[in-house]
Amino acid sequence: MAYLDTAEAAEIQNLTEVLVKINRSAAVVKGGRRFSFSALTIAGDRAGIVGHGYGKARQVPAAIEKGNKDARKHLMRVPLNQHGTIPHEVTGRYCGAMVRLLPASEGTGIIAGAAARNVCEMAGIRNVLTKAYGSTNPINLIKATFAAFSQLRTPEEVAALRGVEL
């Protein structure tokens, strides 16, 4: 995956974050249970730039803050066309999760589960069809969606690679 470099990421304005999932885990210690929390977040500008982050801490607010900070480090650019959808069909895999993204016509909306929906909304995609196969773990689904995004190419990029003119 090609993430944006830090200089390019620092220039981006109006990034917003959305919380996808909070997990609670417990460690049994002498005095009882010690809880810790992990937060999965998505950051994006709703105009073609999106990132994901994962933060862990003893309190929920600290975990969310760490997740947001991590999401700002893992930003990537998503190519969109004039209809607010992706240029072509693509499949992304990560561990046991597989996500298939299909371009949709204007007015379709985002047809997706919770994890993929959050990623598509923050990327600025308005019309897309998705299907998740295998694992339903939100972490793996989000990473599979990002793997799919990294395979997207604009028609101009494909034409340049093939050495043809549009």
Side-chain angles (χ1 to χ4, degrees), residues 49-63:
I49 293 175
V50 66
H52 63 93
Y54 190 66
K56 297 190 280 189
R58 294 284 302 276
Q59 288 89 26
V60 175

PDB file of all heavy atoms in Angstrom, residues 49-63:
ATOM      1  N   ILE A  49      -9.109  11.170   0.212  1.00  0.00           N
ATOM      2  CA  ILE A  49      -8.011  10.812   1.108  1.00  0.00           C
ATOM      3  C   ILE A  49      -8.592  10.153   2.351  1.00  0.00           C
ATOM      4  O   ILE A  49      -9.521  10.682   2.969  1.00  0.00           O
ATOM      5  CB  ILE A  49      -7.165  12.040   1.481  1.00  0.00           C
ATOM      6  CG1 ILE A  49      -6.448  12.539   0.235  1.00  0.00           C
ATOM      7  CG2 ILE A  49      -6.176  11.701   2.580  1.00  0.00           C
ATOM      8  CD1 ILE A  49      -5.677  13.807   0.426  1.00  0.00           C
ATOM      9  N   VAL A  50      -8.054   8.978   2.700  1.00  0.00           N
ATOM     10  CA  VAL A  50      -8.584   8.214   3.836  1.00  0.00           C
ATOM     11  C   VAL A  50      -7.440   7.438   4.493  1.00  0.00           C
ATOM     12  O   VAL A  50      -6.446   7.103   3.855  1.00  0.00           O
ATOM     13  CB  VAL A  50      -9.720   7.265   3.367  1.00  0.00           C
ATOM     14  CG1 VAL A  50      -9.197   6.185   2.453  1.00  0.00           C
ATOM     15  CG2 VAL A  50     -10.476   6.668   4.526  1.00  0.00           C
ATOM     16  N   GLY A  51      -7.577   7.199   5.802  1.00  0.00           N
ATOM     17  CA  GLY A  51      -6.573   6.451   6.555  1.00  0.00           C
ATOM     18  C   GLY A  51      -7.214   5.676   7.683  1.00  0.00           C
ATOM     19  O   GLY A  51      -8.327   5.987   8.117  1.00  0.00           O
ATOM     20  N   HIS A  52      -6.505   4.680   8.192  1.00  0.00           N
ATOM     21  CA  HIS A  52      -7.029   3.875   9.303  1.00  0.00           C
ATOM     22  C   HIS A  52      -6.013   3.848  10.434  1.00  0.00           C
ATOM     23  O   HIS A  52      -4.811   3.932  10.206  1.00  0.00           O
ATOM     24  CB  HIS A  52      -7.367   2.451   8.851  1.00  0.00           C
ATOM     25  CG  HIS A  52      -6.176   1.664   8.376  1.00  0.00           C
ATOM     26  ND1 HIS A  52      -5.448   0.853   9.195  1.00  0.00           N
ATOM     27  CD2 HIS A  52      -5.585   1.595   7.168  1.00  0.00           C
ATOM     28  CE1 HIS A  52      -4.462   0.301   8.512  1.00  0.00           C
ATOM     29  NE2 HIS A  52      -4.529   0.754   7.264  1.00  0.00           N
ATOM     30  N   GLY A  53      -6.506   3.730  11.666  1.00  0.00           N
ATOM     31  CA  GLY A  53      -5.626   3.714  12.824  1.00  0.00           C
ATOM     32  C   GLY A  53      -6.142   2.804  13.914  1.00  0.00           C
ATOM     33  O   GLY A  53      -7.341   2.533  14.012  1.00  0.00           O
ATOM     34  N   TYR A  54      -5.228   2.342  14.754  1.00  0.00           N
ATOM     35  CA  TYR A  54      -5.552   1.418  15.827  1.00  0.00           C
ATOM     36  C   TYR A  54      -4.764   1.861  17.051  1.00  0.00           C
ATOM     37  O   TYR A  54      -3.533   1.949  16.991  1.00  0.00           O
ATOM     38  CB  TYR A  54      -5.164   0.002  15.399  1.00  0.00           C
ATOM     39  CG  TYR A  54      -5.655  -1.098  16.299  1.00  0.00           C
ATOM     40  CD1 TYR A  54      -7.002  -1.360  16.432  1.00  0.00           C
ATOM     41  CD2 TYR A  54      -4.761  -1.897  17.011  1.00  0.00           C
ATOM     42  CE1 TYR A  54      -7.462  -2.381  17.238  1.00  0.00           C
ATOM     43  CE2 TYR A  54      -5.206  -2.921  17.810  1.00  0.00           C
ATOM     44  CZ  TYR A  54      -6.560  -3.163  17.924  1.00  0.00           C
ATOM     45  OH  TYR A  54      -7.019  -4.173  18.728  1.00  0.00           O
ATOM     46  N   GLY A  55      -5.455   2.164  18.151  1.00  0.00           N
ATOM     47  CA  GLY A  55      -4.787   2.615  19.360  1.00  0.00           C
ATOM     48  C   GLY A  55      -5.221   1.809  20.564  1.00  0.00           C
ATOM     49  O   GLY A  55      -6.379   1.411  20.668  1.00  0.00           O
ATOM     50  N   LYS A  56      -4.284   1.569  21.486  1.00  0.00           N
ATOM     51  CA  LYS A  56      -4.589   0.807  22.698  1.00  0.00           C
ATOM     52  C   LYS A  56      -4.143   1.592  23.922  1.00  0.00           C
ATOM     53  O   LYS A  56      -3.081   2.196  23.919  1.00  0.00           O
ATOM     54  CB  LYS A  56      -3.890  -0.552  22.669  1.00  0.00           C
ATOM     55  CG  LYS A  56      -4.365  -1.442  21.536  1.00  0.00           C
ATOM     56  CD  LYS A  56      -3.856  -2.849  21.653  1.00  0.00           C
ATOM     57  CE  LYS A  56      -2.429  -2.947  21.154  1.00  0.00           C
ATOM     58  NZ  LYS A  56      -1.983  -4.350  21.067  1.00  0.00           N
ATOM     59  N   ALA A  57      -5.000   1.567  24.961  1.00  0.00           N
ATOM     60  CA  ALA A  57      -4.672   2.273  26.199  1.00  0.00           C
ATOM     61  C   ALA A  57      -5.522   1.721  27.336  1.00  0.00           C
ATOM     62  O   ALA A  57      -6.442   0.930  27.122  1.00  0.00           O
ATOM     63  CB  ALA A  57      -4.897   3.775  26.048  1.00  0.00           C
ATOM     64  N   ARG A  58      -5.238   2.185  28.553  1.00  0.00           N
ATOM     65  CA  ARG A  58      -5.997   1.728  29.725  1.00  0.00           C
ATOM     66  C   ARG A  58      -7.355   2.404  29.830  1.00  0.00           C
ATOM     67  O   ARG A  58      -8.266   1.875  30.462  1.00  0.00           O
ATOM     68  CB  ARG A  58      -5.187   2.011  31.008  1.00  0.00           C
ATOM     69  CG  ARG A  58      -3.902   1.216  31.128  1.00  0.00           C
ATOM     70  CD  ARG A  58      -4.140  -0.225  31.519  1.00  0.00           C
ATOM     71  NE  ARG A  58      -4.859  -0.342  32.770  1.00  0.00           N
ATOM     72  CZ  ARG A  58      -4.283  -0.305  33.967  1.00  0.00           C
ATOM     73  NH1 ARG A  58      -2.974  -0.165  34.068  1.00  0.00           N
ATOM     74  NH2 ARG A  58      -5.007  -0.417  35.062  1.00  0.00           N
ATOM     75  N   GLN A  59      -7.515   3.594  29.248  1.00  0.00           N
ATOM     76  CA  GLN A  59      -8.806   4.285  29.243  1.00  0.00           C
ATOM     77  C   GLN A  59      -9.266   4.474  27.799  1.00  0.00           C
ATOM     78  O   GLN A  59      -8.460   4.584  26.888  1.00  0.00           O
ATOM     79  CB  GLN A  59      -8.705   5.670  29.917  1.00  0.00           C
ATOM     80  CG  GLN A  59      -8.538   5.612  31.422  1.00  0.00           C
ATOM     81  CD  GLN A  59      -7.077   5.537  31.812  1.00  0.00           C
ATOM     82  OE1 GLN A  59      -6.204   5.995  31.074  1.00  0.00           O
ATOM     83  NE2 GLN A  59      -6.806   4.944  32.964  1.00  0.00           N
ATOM     84  N   VAL A  60     -10.602   4.561  27.632  1.00  0.00           N
ATOM     85  CA  VAL A  60     -11.190   4.679  26.296  1.00  0.00           C
ATOM     86  C   VAL A  60     -10.751   5.964  25.578  1.00  0.00           C
ATOM     87  O   VAL A  60     -10.331   5.900  24.415  1.00  0.00           O
ATOM     88  CB  VAL A  60     -12.732   4.583  26.368  1.00  0.00           C
ATOM     89  CG1 VAL A  60     -13.363   4.831  25.000  1.00  0.00           C
ATOM     90  CG2 VAL A  60     -13.149   3.213  26.876  1.00  0.00           C
ATOM     91  N   PRO A  61     -10.831   7.153  26.195  1.00  0.00           N
ATOM     92  CA  PRO A  61     -10.441   8.382  25.470  1.00  0.00           C
ATOM     93  C   PRO A  61      -8.992   8.356  24.972  1.00  0.00           C
ATOM     94  O   PRO A  61      -8.715   8.814  23.860  1.00  0.00           O
ATOM     95  CB  PRO A  61     -10.642   9.503  26.491  1.00  0.00           C
ATOM     96  CG  PRO A  61     -11.603   8.948  27.475  1.00  0.00           C
ATOM     97  CD  PRO A  61     -11.339   7.486  27.534  1.00  0.00           C
ATOM     98  N   ALA A  62      -8.096   7.799  25.789  1.00  0.00           N
ATOM     99  CA  ALA A  62      -6.694   7.726  25.373  1.00  0.00           C
ATOM    100  C   ALA A  62      -6.535   6.767  24.188  1.00  0.00           C
ATOM    101  O   ALA A  62      -5.759   7.038  23.260  1.00  0.00           O
ATOM    102  CB  ALA A  62      -5.825   7.275  26.541  1.00  0.00           C
ATOM    103  N   ALA A  63      -7.268   5.663  24.192  1.00  0.00           N
ATOM    104  CA  ALA A  63      -7.202   4.710  23.079  1.00  0.00           C
ATOM    105  C   ALA A  63      -7.721   5.348  21.790  1.00  0.00           C
ATOM    106  O   ALA A  63      -7.133   5.172  20.716  1.00  0.00           O
ATOM    107  CB  ALA A  63      -8.001   3.455  23.412  1.00  0.00           C
TER     108      ALA A  63
END
